[in-house]
């Protein structure tokens, strides 16, 4: 690996000597039995955080203590000392008893990973298979071992069950709290202040009342004796709307900055990266869970153009991460843990929309990287449990478990497929415009002075949003209420502007036929056009700010506005030109439902932003209960994806992954170039930093560690032959050396470091050797220098590799890491290869 191969992406000031000093101090604390706390975490990674990410956590969340819980215990849990010793033999053969460090003496933390590094899927899966074989071998020895074997078999189902129960409960509380806080900006229920507007009006004795005139619900202007109408009442409402918005967002921003800096954004970008095997310590910890849950309620209630559904996926994954530590099978194995996280992601969508099947498909299509069949079953079960819990809590206050239940009386006509496809095209165009503008703004924020003032940006954006949104009733109301209104079908009892048609009803049972638009509909059209522009612009600037912010609901709202406007246009065309061949045969009565167009437009816009297809359609018909409208939804979703891909290949989450430099190899992309492994391996010229198997002293090994910052070191027979023996990971080597210095007497700088089972032919003279064969991987993945890069890329994607060694006739030539592959792909695409920051 060349000097450029800095797997952490540090700046030039991050010198090997500085890293060595920090690692030495960190390992000294680990050897003394001190858990990897926030202090040691910052000692190792703080320089990187400050230089690359631009901001460091101002408070210790103790998430790292939880992350290292399993690795800091040599025994306990479901695995005893004998099992640990058995597992440590995975990378080695049983050898002789030469003086040195034995398997049972391996320090805690071997096989774990550093922050901002990629896991080794093959090693972790092999460790789990070894553990499973050991349990199966021992289960007939005693009743205890039989119980332990049974526990191991059903622990996965119990884990996802607990995740579903806790996630569903949290989602129900968040839904209730968000609705109450959002209504608080407009008024209060004096008789029971803890009730939102809808619940407050249930107490009213009046059977019917005009919109916003429920006698039990008091607007702030009424509280201050200014009445409901007039300039004074309007000004008071305007002021309270702004004050409550600023209060909510100020509290949210301060909580996030102080306690959990990772609780920002939607989290789906990072969840995708984590599920691909990347380590981000603390991102799924308990403080992030708590602050994200509180913060998303505050952010949504502040009226910003964002939603809580994306952050709920992050919240569910935090719950899955925490609960997985109750089961060492998952808590101690990063690859196995990602099976639980995939199920948790499915539960996140399920509890957000009441769409369990859509949640499973979302996890499969959009976020998961490794999704075996058993994970599919467990994801389905987890989503089912979370949806059941949300339905039991009934946060929507109706008889349906979905957020936007619709029931249209008019079926869609065949000719309407044309406007549905047009809606899909518009959704793809709007989605591409949003992605390009949002990424450009986020890049400017990241590399300009604006990024140094995140709280100021949030406050200013909230103030602008509140000032602009209040005058327009469609931007003033909560976005979920707006979407529900746009999806609805007009009936005789509806009195909102969208249903102000020139119709005459003789009784409530009369059919709702086509009719010319009234003044209310015309006014609503202009207000919706203005709301569309405001929502689109505000969402571009809002997504990516330093508060919890989702994108699902804003995208649905933008698409629903476009769809409703087109639906009204089609409806009025049928009224004005009833004799056109399109309408003459099938439009004898009412044949156009504007609410259906809103639903299709919402799916098209969300598809254009995220590039989802199958999961999007299923989520939409589960979200609305409109199973009869799968074909229009499918047509719009496919048109949206085709147009979006034609204008830009990446969805919004993939674009943010590239912006942040995360090491994500998308399995959906194809590698079509003809380069070879020799064109990518490091070093291209010169010799790779390596260690010999049995003739380097401890001081020489420490010198190599001090002078380089490579993540792994190949083990070779000798410098002359360069014949490959295996590979040792830097972190494991540092831990083993630190532990040996503490536990083994006589270890000095002249002690020979032995990575094999070599037995000296003559009596041992000098200080005892340091035998580290137990930490060596003697079966590393290797390729030849003539291997096509197309094959190498497939190996990294499908095997989950973090590095592979390059050989020729058994002689070591170089190494290819995941970052090398990503940078090579960037270079071939004429993009900046140094934008990939991590390995």
């Amino acid at each position: 690996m060349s000097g450029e191969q800095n797997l952490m992406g540090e700046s030039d000031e991050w010198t090997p000597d500085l890293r060595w000093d920090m690692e030495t101090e960190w390992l000294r604390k680990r050897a003394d039995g001190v858990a990897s706390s926030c202090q040691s975490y910052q000692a190792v990674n703080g320089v990187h955080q400050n230089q690359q990410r631009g901001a460091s956590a101002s408070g210790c969340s103790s998430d790292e203590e939880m992350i290292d819980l399993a690795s800091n215990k040599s025994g306990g849990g479901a695995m005893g000392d004998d099992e640990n010793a058995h597992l440590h033999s995975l990378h080695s053969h049983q050898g002789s008893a030469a003086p040195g460090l034995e398997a049972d003496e391996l320090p805690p933390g071997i096989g774990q990973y550093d922050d901002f590094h990629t896991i080794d899927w093959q090693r972790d899966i092999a460790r789990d298979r070894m553990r499973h074989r050991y349990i199966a071998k021992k289960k007939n020895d005693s009743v205890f071992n039989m119980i332990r074997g049974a526990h191991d078999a059903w622990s996965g189902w119990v884990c996802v069950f607990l995740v579903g129960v806790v996630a569903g409960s949290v989602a129900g509380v968040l839904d209730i709290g968000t609705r109450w806080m959002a209504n608080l900006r407009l008024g209060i229920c004096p008789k029971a202040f803890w009730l939102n507007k809808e619940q407050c009006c249930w107490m009213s004795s009046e059977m019917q009342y005009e919109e916003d005139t429920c006698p039990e619900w008091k607007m702030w202007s009424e509280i201050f004796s200014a009445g409901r109408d007039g300039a004074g009442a309007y000004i008071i409402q305007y002021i309270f709307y702004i004050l409550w918005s600023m209060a909510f967002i100020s509290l949210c921003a301060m909580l996030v900055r102080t306690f959990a800096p990772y609780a920002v954004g939607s989290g789906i970008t990072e969840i995708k990266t984590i599920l691909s095997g990347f380590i981000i310590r603390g991102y799924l910890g308990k403080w992030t869970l708590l602050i994200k849950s509180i913060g998303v309620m505050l952010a949504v209630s502040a009226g910003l153009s964002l939603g809580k559904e994306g952050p709920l996926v992050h919240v569910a994954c935090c719950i899955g991460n925490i609960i997985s530590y109750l089961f060492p099978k998952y808590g101690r194995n990063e690859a196995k843990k990602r099976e639980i996280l995939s199920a948790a992601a499915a539960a996140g969508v399920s509890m957000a929309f009441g769409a369990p099947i859509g949640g499973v498909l979302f996890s499969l299509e959009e976020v998961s990287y490794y999704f075996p069949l058993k994970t599919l079953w467990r994801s389905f079960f987890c989503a089912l449990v979370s949806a059941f819990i949300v339905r039991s809590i009934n946060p929507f206050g109706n008889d349906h478990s979905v957020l936007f239940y619709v029931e249209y009386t008019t079926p869609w006509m065949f000719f309407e497929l044309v406007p549905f496809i047009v809606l899909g095209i518009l959704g793809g165009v709007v989605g591409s415009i949003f992605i390009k503008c949002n990424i450009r703004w986020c890049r400017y924020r990241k590399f300009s002075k604006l990024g140094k003032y995140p709280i100021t940006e949030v406050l200013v954006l909230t103030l602008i949003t509140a000032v602009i949104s209040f005058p327009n009733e469609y931007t003033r109301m909560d976005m979920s209420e707006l979407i529900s209104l746009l999806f609805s079908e007009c009936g005789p009892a509806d009195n909102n502007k969208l249903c102000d048609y020139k119709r005459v009803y003789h009784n409530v049972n009369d059919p709702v036929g086509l009719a010319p638009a009234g003044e209310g509909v015309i006014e609503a059209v202009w207000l919706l056009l203005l709301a569309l522009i405001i929502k689109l612009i505000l969402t571009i600037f809002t997504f990516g700010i330093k508060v919890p912010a989702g994108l699902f609901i804003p995208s649905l709202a933008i698409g629903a506005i476009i769809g409703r406007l087109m639906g009204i246009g089609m409806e009025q065309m049928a009224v004005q030109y009833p004799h056109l061949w399109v309408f003459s045969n099938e439009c004898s009565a009412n044949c156009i439902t504007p609410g259906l167009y809103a639903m299709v437009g919402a799916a098209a816009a969300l598809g254009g932003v995220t590039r989802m297809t199958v999961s999007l359609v299923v989520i939409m018909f589960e979200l609305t209960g409109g199973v009869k409208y799968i074909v229009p939804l499918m047509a719009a979703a496919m048109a949206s994806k085709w147009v979006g891909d034609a204008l830009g290949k990446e969805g919004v989450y993939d674009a943010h992954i590239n912006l942040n430099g995360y090491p994500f190899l998308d399995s959906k992309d194809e590698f079509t170039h003809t380069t070879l492994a020799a064109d990518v391996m490091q070093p291209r010229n010169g010799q790779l930093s390596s260690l010999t198997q049995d003739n380097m002293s401890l001081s020489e090994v420490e010198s190599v560690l001090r002078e380089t910052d490579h993540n792994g070191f190949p083990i070779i027979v000798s410098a002359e032959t360069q014949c490959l023996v295996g590979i040792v990971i830097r972190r494991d080597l540092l831990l083993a050396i630190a532990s040996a210095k503490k536990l083994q007497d006589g270890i000095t700088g002249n002690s020979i470091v032995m990575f094999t089972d070599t037995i000296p032919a003559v009596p041992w003279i000098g200080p005892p050797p340091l035998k580290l064969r137990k930490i060596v991987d003697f079966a590393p993945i290797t390729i030849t220098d003539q291997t096509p890069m197309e094959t190498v890329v497939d190996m990294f994607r499908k095997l989950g590799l973090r590095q592979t060694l390059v050989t020729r006739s058994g002689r070591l030539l170089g190494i290819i890491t995941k970052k090398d592959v990503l940078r090579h792909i960037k270079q071939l695409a004429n993009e900046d290869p140094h934008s990939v920051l991590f390995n």
Side-chain angles (χ1 to χ4, degrees), residues 775-795:
I775 66 172
V776 178
D777 181 3
F778 289 102
I781 302 295
T782 60
I783 57 175
T784 68
D785 59 330
Q786 296 302 306
T787 304
M789 276 305 297
E790 183 178 4
T791 302
V792 176
V793 171
D794 282 341
M795 290 175 64

Side-chain angles (χ1 to χ4, degrees), residues 15 19 53 164 188 239 299 342 350 367 456 622 652 686 724 815 828:
T15 63
R19 175 173 181 152
R53 299 183 69 87
I188 195 170
I239 293 174
S342 293
S350 173
V367 297
T456 302
E622 284 189 289
V652 65
L724 181 64
I815 190 170
L828 293 176

Side-chain angles (χ1 to χ4, degrees), residues 23-36:
E23 287 175 335
T24 303
E25 175 66 14
W26 172 63
L27 291 169
R28 183 186 65 77
K29 293 182 179 180
R30 287 295 297 262
D32 290 340
V34 179
S36 179

